Amino acid sequence: MPRSKKGKRGGSSGKGSLRQEVLQLQLSAKTALSRPGKNGGRGESGASDDDLASDVLSHYSSASESASVLDEGTGEVVDEQTAQEETEDKLKQCIDNLMDKSAKVRLAALESLRSAFSSRVLYDFLLERRLTISDCLERSLKKGGGEEQAAAATLFALLCVQLGGGVEGEEGFKMLRPILSSILIDSCASLSARQHCARALGMCCYVSASDDIEDLLKCMGHLESLFVGAYPLGDGSLPSVKAGTPALHSAALQSWALLCSLCPASRINSMVNYHLPLLQACLDSSEVNFRIAVGETIALLYELRRDIDQEFEYEDCDALCESLKGLATDGNKYRAKNDRRKQRSIFREVLHYIENDEFSEEKIRFGVEVIYIDGWMRRRIYDAFKEVLESGVSHHLQFNPLLRDIFGLGAPLILDSSVKAIKISRTERHLFNSAAFKARTKLRNKVRDKRADVM
C-alpha cells in the first residue's frame, strides 16, 4: 500500500504561505517606490522610498533565514527517521525475497542481508522476525543448491551473532544445528557448502550453546570427523585428497579449535594427548593454509594445557620444534612468495611460544578503544568473528553487547568530546582487558566442569 503524502502537502503549504507574504511585501515596496509622497518622495509615515525598500528587503531576508533554519532543524530528524524506515523496508523486502521461487532472487536477498547483518547491529529489528528468517534459512539449507546453502549458513552465523547468547539465539541453533551437521558430514554435498557449514556450526555453537556441554561435544565430534581425514595413515604417510578438501579440513579444524576454548579442563588433557602427535605429522602437508591452521591449533592446545599445568612439556617436543624451525625458515622457490612469507611469520610465533612460553601481542583499535590479543585462544576467537563479520568487526566491537562481553569491554560507550579527550594508558587497558577475559573464561570452565561431573 503506497504511503500517504499528507505530511509533504502540509509541509509545502507552510512554505507557500511564507512565499505569498514575501511576494506581497515586494509588491508593496514597488508600489511605494513608484508612488510619490506629499513630502518630496516620502510616504505617509515620513520615511523615504529608500528606507521603505530597505525595510522590505530586511523583512524578506529575515523571513527567508527563519524558513531555512526551520527546514534545517526539522530536516535532520525527518531525514534520519526516513532513512531508518527505508532501511527497514529494504530489509523486510529482502526477507520476503528469501521465499521467492527464483534461486537468483533468493541468493541476492541472502547477500544483501549478509551485508546488512555484518555492518550494523539490528537486534531490535531481528528479534520479532528471527523465526521467519530461521524458517527461510532452513528451507534454503534443505532445498537450495551448493551456493545457496553456503550463503544461508553464513547468514545464520551472522543471525546468531546479532541475537547473542540468549534464549532467542539458542532457539534458532536448536532448529538448524541438525541441518548444518548433516550437510557438513555429507560427502556428496558441495565442498563450499560444507566449508561454510563448518564455520557456521563452530560460531553458532560458541555463541548459542556455550553452556550446553552435550551440544558442544556433538558439534566438536562432527567437526573432528572431517579434519581427521587429513591425519596420517597407518604407514605414517599423509593421505592424498581431491582439490578443495584441504580448505574444508582447515575450516573444520579452526572451528574445532574455537570450541576447544570452551571445553572443561577435565577434557583438555585427553584431547591434547590424542591430537597433538597427529597434528604434528600434518605439518608436512603440501597445502600451506592447512599447515598454518595446524600450527595455530598446536599452539592453542599447548596454551590450554599450560593453563592447567604451567610445567607441561610435550614428550616429543624436540621433533616438533625441528619441524616448526623448518617451516619458519622455509625458502622453497616452488611456493608462492606471499605463502612463504605468511608461513614463516606464523611458525616463528608458534616456535617462539612453545620454546619460551611467550606470545607476540597484537593490538586491535576500533573507535577510541583497543583490545589486546595476548594469547592463541584470544586470537582464535577474534579471527573467528572477523571471518564471519569481515569489515564490520570494528562496528560490532563498539556496539554489539555479545562481542563486548566476550572481550571484556563492558557496555557500549557513549562518548562526548570531553570524554574522548581522556586517554587511558596502554598498560591499564591491557591489564583490564586481559583480567576480564580470563575471569570470564575461568567462570565458564567452572560451570562446565560441574555439569560434566553431573553427566
Side-chain angles (χ1 to χ4, degrees), residues 64-343:
S64 300
E65 289 176 2
S66 299
S68 64
V69 170
L70 180 64
D71 293 342
E72 183 180 350
T74 58
E76 291 181 0
V77 178
V78 172
D79 289 345
E80 183 178 352
Q81 184 177 0
T82 303
Q84 179 69 18
E85 290 176 355
E86 289 178 353
T87 299
E88 291 188 358
D89 288 343
K90 290 178 181 178
L91 291 174
K92 291 175 186 176
Q93 184 60 53
C94 288
I95 294 172
D96 290 340
N97 289 345
L98 292 178
M99 296 176 277
D100 197 272
K101 292 182 179 180
S102 169
K104 185 177 181 180
V105 173
R106 294 196 304 270
L107 274 173
L110 288 167
E111 176 58 26
S112 296
L113 290 172
R114 183 204 63 77
S115 178
F117 286 12
S118 64
S119 61
R120 65 193 74 182
V121 177
L122 299 166
Y123 177 81
D124 293 332
F125 175 82
L126 294 174
L127 187 60
E128 60 185 20
R129 298 172 177 84
R130 66 187 187 281
L131 296 179
T132 301
I133 297 174
S134 296
D135 286 340
C136 294
L137 295 179
E138 181 180 20
R139 189 179 299 108
S140 291
L141 288 169
K142 283 183 175 180
K143 300 181 179 181
E147 188 177 359
E148 185 176 346
Q149 288 177 324
T154 299
L155 187 61
F156 180 58
L158 285 166
L159 180 63
C160 287
V161 173
Q162 288 277 351
L163 295 176
V167 176
E168 297 82 6
E170 292 179 7
E171 288 177 355
F173 181 68
K174 294 286 186 183
M175 179 191 303
L176 295 186
R177 180 183 62 80
I179 304 171
L180 291 173
S181 300
S182 63
I183 296 174
L184 181 69
I185 61 179
D186 183 3
S187 59
C188 297
S190 160
L191 282 174
S192 176
R194 296 174 72 191
Q195 181 179 340
H196 283 80
C197 284
R199 296 202 182 280
L201 188 65
M203 175 56 67
C204 295
C205 184
Y206 182 83
V207 171
S208 303
S210 57
D211 293 329
D212 191 330
I213 189 69
E214 184 176 351
D215 278 348
L216 176 66
L217 295 178
K218 283 182 180 179
C219 291
M220 292 185 70
H222 289 311
L223 294 166
E224 185 177 335
S225 68
L226 286 183
F227 66 80
V228 295
Y231 278 0
L233 301 174
D235 59 358
S237 63
L238 294 177
S240 58
V241 294
K242 62 181 181 180
T245 304
L248 173 61
H249 290 162
S250 297
L253 180 61
Q254 289 171 334
S255 291
W256 180 82
L258 174 67
L259 298 183
C260 282
S261 66
L262 300 176
C263 281
S266 57
R267 295 183 177 270
I268 295 295
N269 291 344
S270 58
M271 288 167 48
V272 171
N273 292 337
Y274 175 75
H275 287 284
L276 206 53
L278 298 171
L279 288 171
Q280 178 183 342
C282 290
L283 292 174
D284 294 330
S285 170
S286 60
E287 295 291 331
V288 62
N289 288 325
F290 181 64
R291 285 199 305 274
I292 290 173
V294 168
E296 291 176 332
T297 303
I298 289 173
L300 174 65
L301 292 176
Y302 245 83
E303 182 178 83
L304 292 173
R305 188 64 180 84
R306 282 176 173 171
D307 284 344
I308 301 171
D309 180 10
Q310 293 184 355
E311 303 300 324
F312 168 73
E313 286 294 338
Y314 176 48
E315 60 182 7
D316 200 12
C317 187
D318 291 339
L320 174 61
C321 289
E322 284 300 317
S323 297
L324 295 174
K325 285 178 183 177
L327 293 169
T329 57
D330 185 9
N332 290 323
K333 298 297 182 181
Y334 65 85
R335 293 197 175 106
K337 186 176 181 179
N338 288 337
D339 288 346
R340 293 201 309 270
R341 184 185 297 112
K342 183 179 179 181
Q343 174 182 285

Side-chain angles (χ1 to χ4, degrees), residues 423-439:
K423 292 186 178 180
I424 303 174
S425 71
R426 177 179 181 275
T427 304
E428 288 175 337
R429 285 196 299 261
H430 183 191
L431 292 175
F432 175 79
N433 288 338
S434 297
F437 186 78
K438 290 179 180 178

Side-chain angles (χ1 to χ4, degrees), residues 32-33 35-56:
L33 291 172
R35 184 176 62 239
K38 295 180 180 179
N39 299 321
R42 290 182 180 268
E44 295 179 356
S45 63
S48 67
D49 295 340
D50 293 338
D51 294 336
L52 285 172
S54 177
D55 289 342
V56 171

